[in-house]
Amino acid sequence: AIIQRVTEASVTVDSQIISSIGRGLLVLVGITHTDTPKDSEIISNKILSLPLFEDEQGNPNIHSVVDKNLEVLLVSQFTLYSVLKGNKPDFHRAMKPEFSRDFYSAFVEQTRKNYREEAIKDGQFGAMMKVNLVNDGPFFLKIDSSD
């Protein structure tokens, strides 16, 4: 997953904003063909518990998104598991769509259960999405369940 700390973010599909958050985290979620429910649980817990926000004195990386009562926008992103074959992207490492839709939905629900349902938003799986964000920092972090 790619985590970006944001002051705001939104997802637009067919010229309609379908999801938006204020301050919090925008997370691009990649699912590979070897991922298991345990991997999903690990990533969900990392997203919610990583200390990526400052404290009241401005000291960085003290509080998590949960500590600060902020929001999370999850966006499915199969292209995170692409590899180049010559000059062409190949997505064979990504989980097949017929399996990844349910896997991603379960991940979103698990993350909602681990925090506050209304604080976890998501895009539209499989849609052509326009993701808008205002980076807070900028801050960008790549995480994996094996890290």
Side-chain angles (χ1 to χ4, degrees), residues 78-99:
F78 75 94
T79 61
L80 291 177
Y81 283 102
S82 66
V83 292
L84 288 178
K85 287 201 172 182
N87 233 7
K88 184 179 179 189
D90 180 328
F91 304 105
H92 74 275
R93 289 180 26 199
M95 188 179 284
K96 301 284 184 227
E98 58 267 24
F99 305 113

Side-chain angles (χ1 to χ4, degrees), residues 14-131:
D14 295 329
S15 301
Q16 298 289 321
I17 294 176
I18 63 161
S19 198
S20 65
I21 63 168
R23 189 161 189 238
L25 300 174
L26 168 64
V27 183
L28 304 177
V29 180
I31 303 169
T32 187
H33 63 284
T34 59
D35 279 342
T36 66
K38 182 67 175 169
D39 294 305
S40 179
E41 179 184 339
I42 290 168
I43 292 296
S44 176
N45 289 335
K46 283 184 180 189
I47 290 166
L48 297 175
S49 65
L50 283 169
L52 305 177
F53 295 92
E54 73 287 340
D55 65 10
E56 294 71 26
Q57 289 76 39
N59 298 311
N61 304 328
I62 303 294
H63 294 296
S64 70
V65 69
V66 173
D67 296 337
K68 299 287 268 184
N69 201 31
L70 301 175
E71 297 175 294
V72 178
L73 177 54
L74 303 170
V75 177
S76 62
Q77 188 69 37
F78 75 94
T79 61
L80 291 177
Y81 283 102
S82 66
V83 292
L84 288 178
K85 287 201 172 182
N87 233 7
K88 184 179 179 189
D90 180 328
F91 304 105
H92 74 275
R93 289 180 26 199
M95 188 179 284
K96 301 284 184 227
E98 58 267 24
F99 305 113
S100 59
R101 179 181 303 275
D102 289 342
F103 193 93
Y104 174 74
S105 293
F107 171 75
V108 171
E109 288 310 310
Q110 177 177 31
T111 306
R112 286 178 172 149
K113 286 179 191 171
N114 290 345
Y115 185 27
R116 290 183 297 114
E117 184 171 338
E118 68 278 4
I120 306 297
K121 311 288 178 63
D122 73 312
Q124 183 178 330
F125 187 93
M128 182 60 72
M129 296 178 276
K130 295 190 184 316
V131 180

